[in-house]
């Protein structure tokens, strides 16, 4: 049986490896929002989490399997160590999915065997097939990963992979766990597996890699040329340490250079058929969603989705692009979902026109979400002449991607100037429904606002990141604020958009505090339940 594919399978691990980025912790609703967006994007497999690690992760995988893993949707995958308890937990969480996959792993490099697993090669060689076979009792779709494959002895790696495939693994994933390999080395590793694993034609070769040396995407493209057919990646390249291979970069490299890659997949070089199932027009929106919910901003010069990716400052470049875009642009901004629509709606536009335009942009809002977004739209439309699609997306993201509203900002006012002492007054509605007002001074207006909010909420925290960016051009542009707070070693993000940057800053801070407060409440609830079971 030959299961090799003539296209590239996109395995998204934003909700598993991506969430392991410091400070990128997501709650259930946020994970579900991202999973729905990934399904619209067209990813083949969503690695929804690591069910054994916590009740929260189990619940998230189970809920995503139920809501997103419907017929016609992506395969939902759960990660599990090569241990029966991990695998059984993953199998249970994935039950609601129409198509499910268990991804089990065990290290194979000598350094991991000696210092982490404290096991011999022969023990690992016995465990791998045994656990793959056990995973097959829950689902026919089993993926096996030899962790730290990039630093493993190739001959031992071949043996483990052969045993895993014989036991029923339908995908074997080759991880460059520490981002150590160069493209030539990674390509040779995949080529060696193709040549030396006798039953490799019975499994898809997948690759997973980290970006510690900035080589993850280049490594993956070289792996494709040598036989890899599944790419494990994340939106915006988020993940542990320096992150993972970025989905948007891989997909657009295969889109723009498909004539180059076609022959490696057995296609005519001139074929225009896409190499992936990704709807590239969903890339920009998915990128913004992940950035907003994780609090991890995208740097302006980031490939594909950075703010400057399609900007031209140089006069020579501007002149060339005006004459013919192909002079300095190798892809169209609209191909990733960016639009040149300038004025789409105004203050006289009605609810129906607003709803219709959001549907055209790919948003599916509940009646409650639509009502909240429409109220904000009217507020912004009274302050701005021109409402662009980017403004609409900022409004929707700000209204629908917020945590449960425990604290609510009712009023904020600042006084500042070059000869004045920055002072802020805030009124906040507490979780108990009480309105409290306080004031504070600071080094600037935002600092004063945050100090005043802290006086009211009385939740200890440390502000570790504050960033502001303009949604569109112009003096009346909406400003987006993203902040990150640290409390007891954990990081919580907040995001907000407003034409008044002070208001946006206050709302973003309240958003982060609501995430923090919600987490504290869940911890208290879990502790109460644990005591009740004793």
């Amino acid at each position: 049986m030959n299961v090799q594919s003539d296209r590239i399978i996109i395995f998204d691990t934003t909700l598993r490896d991506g969430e392991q980025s410091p400070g990128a912790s997501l709650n259930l609703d946020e994970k579900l929002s991202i999973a729905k967006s990934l399904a619209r994007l067209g990813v083949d497999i969503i690695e929804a989490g690591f069910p054994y690690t916590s009740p929260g992760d189990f619940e998230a995988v189970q809920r995503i399997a139920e809501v997103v893993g419907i017929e016609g949707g992506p395969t939902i995958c759960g990660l599990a160590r090569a241990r029966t308890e991990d695998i059984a937990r993953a199998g249970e969480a994935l039950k609601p999915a129409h198509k499910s996959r268990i991804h089990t792993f065990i290290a194979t490099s000598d350094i991991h065997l000696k210092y982490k697993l404290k096991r011999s090669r022969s023990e690992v060689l016995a465990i791998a097939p045994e656990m793959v076979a056990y995973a097959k009792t829950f689902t026919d779709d089993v993926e096996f990963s030899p962790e730290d494959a990039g630093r493993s002895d190739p001959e031992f790696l071949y043996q483990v992979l052969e045993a895993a495939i014989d036991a029923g693994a339908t995908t074997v994933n080759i991880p460059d766990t520490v981002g150590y390999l160069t493209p030539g080395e990674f390509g040779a590793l995949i080529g060696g597996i193709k040549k030396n694993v006798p039953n490799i034609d019975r499994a898809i070769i997948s690759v997973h890699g980290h970006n510690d040396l900035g080589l993850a995407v280049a490594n993956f493209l070289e792996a494709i040329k040598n036989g890899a057919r599944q790419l494990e990646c994340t939106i915006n390249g988020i993940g542990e340490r320096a992150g993972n291979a970025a989905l948007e970069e891989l997909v657009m490299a295969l889109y723009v250079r498909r004539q180059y890659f076609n022959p490696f997949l057995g296609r005519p070089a001139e074929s225009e058929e896409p190499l992936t199932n990704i709807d590239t027009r969903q890339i920009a929106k998915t990128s913004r969603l992940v950035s907003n919910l994780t609090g991890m901003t995208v740097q302006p010069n980031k490939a594909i989705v950075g703010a400057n990716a399609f900007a031209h400052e140089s006069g020579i470049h501007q002149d060339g692009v005006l004459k013919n875009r192909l002079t300095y642009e190798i892809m169209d901004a609209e191909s990733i979902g960016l639009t040149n629509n300038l004025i789409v709606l105004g203050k006289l536009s009605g609810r129906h026109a607003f709803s219709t335009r959001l549907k055209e942009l790919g948003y599916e809002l509940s009646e409650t979400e639509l009502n909240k977004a429409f109220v904000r739209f009217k507020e912004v439309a009274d302050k701005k002449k021109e409402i662009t699609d980017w403004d609409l997306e900022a409004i929707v993201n700000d209204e629908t991607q917020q945590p449960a509203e425990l604290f609510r900002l009712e009023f904020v006012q600042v006084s500042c100037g070059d000869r004045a002492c920055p002072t802020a007054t805030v009124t906040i509605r507490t979780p108990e429904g009480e309105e409290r007002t306080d004031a504070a001074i600071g080094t600037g207006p935002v600092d004063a606002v945050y100090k005043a909010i802290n006086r009211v909420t009385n939740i200890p925290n440390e502000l570790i990141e504050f960033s502001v960016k303009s949604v569109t051009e112009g003096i009346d542009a909406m400003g987006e604020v993203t902040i990150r707070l640290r409390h007891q070693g954990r990081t919580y993000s907040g995001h907000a958009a407003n034409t008044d940057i002070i208001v946006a800053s206050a709302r973003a801070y309240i958003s982060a505090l609501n995430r923090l407060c919600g987490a504290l409440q869940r911890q208290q609830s879990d502790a109460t339940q644990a005591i009740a079971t004793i």
Side-chain angles (χ1 to χ4, degrees), residues 26-102:
L26 301 164
N27 63 34
L28 176 58
D29 289 339
E30 291 164 344
K31 288 183 178 182
L32 199 55
S33 293
I34 291 175
K36 289 178 180 177
S37 186
L38 293 173
R40 289 191 292 269
L41 181 63
V43 304
D44 299 284
I45 300 132
I46 295 175
E47 189 168 51
F50 197 158
Y52 186 80
T53 56
S54 71
D57 232 34
F58 177 89
E59 183 184 5
V61 173
Q62 188 176 57
R63 184 72 174 140
I64 291 168
E66 180 184 4
V67 176
V68 182
I70 57 176
E71 186 173 358
T75 297
I76 308 301
C77 177
L79 186 68
R81 291 168 296 182
R83 294 169 39 173
T84 55
E85 55 268 42
D86 278 45
I87 292 169
R89 192 72 169 150
E92 181 67 25
L94 293 167
K95 273 185 179 179
H98 183 71
K99 294 183 295 182
S100 65
R101 171 181 293 188
I102 292 177

Side-chain angles (χ1 to χ4, degrees), residues 106-274:
I106 190 168
T108 52
S109 69
D110 288 335
I111 191 168
H112 275 235
L113 266 59
K114 180 178 180 181
Y115 294 106
K116 190 179 78 169
L117 294 184
K118 301 189 185 303
R119 291 185 180 274
S120 66
R121 287 187 178 186
S122 60
E123 287 178 299
V124 169
L125 189 55
I127 291 169
E130 180 185 357
M131 292 300 100
V132 168
Y134 182 60
K136 292 286 281 191
T137 66
F138 295 93
T139 176
D140 289 333
D141 189 352
V142 175
E143 177 173 334
F144 171 74
S145 288
E147 187 183 7
D148 204 23
R151 295 189 297 176
S152 298
D153 172 58
E155 295 301 325
F156 177 56
L157 185 62
Y158 304 152
Q159 293 176 46
V160 175
L161 293 175
E162 181 181 1
I165 295 169
D166 275 342
T170 48
T171 299
V172 288
N173 176 51
I174 313 304
D176 183 16
T177 304
V178 294
Y180 178 72
L181 299 180
T182 63
E185 291 172 320
F186 204 41
L189 176 61
I190 304 303
I193 289 167
K194 284 279 287 183
K195 181 179 178 181
N196 294 290
V197 177
N199 55 2
I200 195 63
D201 62 337
R202 289 160 46 191
I204 294 286
I205 299 178
S206 174
V207 288
H208 177 103
H210 285 263
N211 206 35
D212 298 72
L213 296 176
L215 299 173
V217 168
N219 283 348
F220 278 27
L221 296 177
E222 195 66 23
I224 290 172
K225 292 162 61 176
N226 285 274
R229 292 295 176 265
Q230 177 177 290
L231 308 180
E232 306 202 355
C233 42
T234 61
I235 301 297
N236 299 335
I238 66 172
E240 286 196 279
R241 304 186 313 278
N244 287 263
L247 180 148
E248 64 278 2
E249 295 178 24
L250 290 164
V251 167
M252 292 310 292
L254 294 170
Y255 174 83
V256 172
R257 299 303 309 277
R258 55 191 176 278
Q259 279 76 31
Y260 173 79
F261 286 100
N262 277 334
F264 295 106
L265 280 81
R267 301 180 178 195
E270 65 276 8
S271 173
E272 292 293 331
E273 286 295 310

Side-chain angles (χ1 to χ4, degrees), residues 207-428:
V207 288
H208 177 103
H210 285 263
N211 206 35
D212 298 72
L213 296 176
L215 299 173
V217 168
N219 283 348
F220 278 27
L221 296 177
E222 195 66 23
I224 290 172
K225 292 162 61 176
N226 285 274
R229 292 295 176 265
Q230 177 177 290
L231 308 180
E232 306 202 355
C233 42
T234 61
I235 301 297
N236 299 335
I238 66 172
E240 286 196 279
R241 304 186 313 278
N244 287 263
L247 180 148
E248 64 278 2
E249 295 178 24
L250 290 164
V251 167
M252 292 310 292
L254 294 170
Y255 174 83
V256 172
R257 299 303 309 277
R258 55 191 176 278
Q259 279 76 31
Y260 173 79
F261 286 100
N262 277 334
F264 295 106
L265 280 81
R267 301 180 178 195
E270 65 276 8
S271 173
E272 292 293 331
E273 286 295 310
L275 293 176
T276 74
N277 281 339
I278 296 296
D279 179 357
T280 61
R281 295 166 299 178
Q282 296 289 326
I283 286 176
K285 186 172 68 177
T286 309
S287 168
R288 285 196 288 272
L289 174 68
V290 171
S291 177
N292 290 344
L293 292 184
T294 60
M296 301 187 70
T297 56
V298 176
Q299 74 264 30
N301 64 325
K302 167 77 170 62
I304 312 301
V305 292
N308 294 344
F310 295 94
H312 299 278
E313 182 74 18
S314 162
I316 294 173
H317 285 215
Q318 290 172 346
D319 178 64
V321 168
L322 289 171
K323 291 174 179 174
N324 188 316
R325 285 193 171 273
L326 293 177
T327 54
Y328 287 102
E329 286 189 358
I330 60 173
M331 55 189 156
D332 189 337
E334 292 186 2
S335 67
I336 67 164
L338 296 175
T339 173
N340 292 322
N341 235 341
L342 187 56
I343 307 174
V344 290
L345 294 173
K347 67 178 181 179
L348 299 180
S349 299
R351 190 174 183 279
H352 178 71
F354 177 74
S355 173
T356 299
R357 185 57 190 148
L358 290 183
K359 287 178 181 176
E360 290 172 354
L361 291 171
Y363 287 97
E364 299 174 8
L365 304 184
S366 67
E367 195 68 17
T368 301
E369 290 172 334
L370 182 62
N371 289 338
K372 289 176 64 179
F374 185 63
V375 170
R376 278 295 306 283
F377 161 71
K378 283 294 190 179
E379 291 175 0
V380 174
D382 280 336
K383 300 174 183 177
K384 288 195 67 177
K385 276 187 182 181
E386 302 172 349
I387 307 296
T388 69
D389 285 346
W390 285 13
D391 290 321
L392 291 178
E393 291 187 352
I395 290 167
V396 172
N397 291 340
D398 193 32
E399 287 299 321
T400 65
Q401 295 164 15
Q402 295 292 349
E405 194 174 61
L406 302 173
F407 292 101
R408 176 183 175 85
L409 181 70
E410 298 289 354
F411 171 85
V412 58
Q413 179 175 296
V414 299
S415 173
C416 60
D418 65 343
R419 301 289 177 91
C421 182
T423 307
T425 303
V426 299
T427 299
I428 294 171

Side-chain angles (χ1 to χ4, degrees), residues 433-454:
E434 177 188 354
E435 281 195 5
R436 296 180 185 172
T437 300
D438 212 328
I441 60 174
T443 57
V446 174
D447 183 50
V449 167
Y450 286 2
K451 285 179 177 176
I453 290 173
N454 282 337

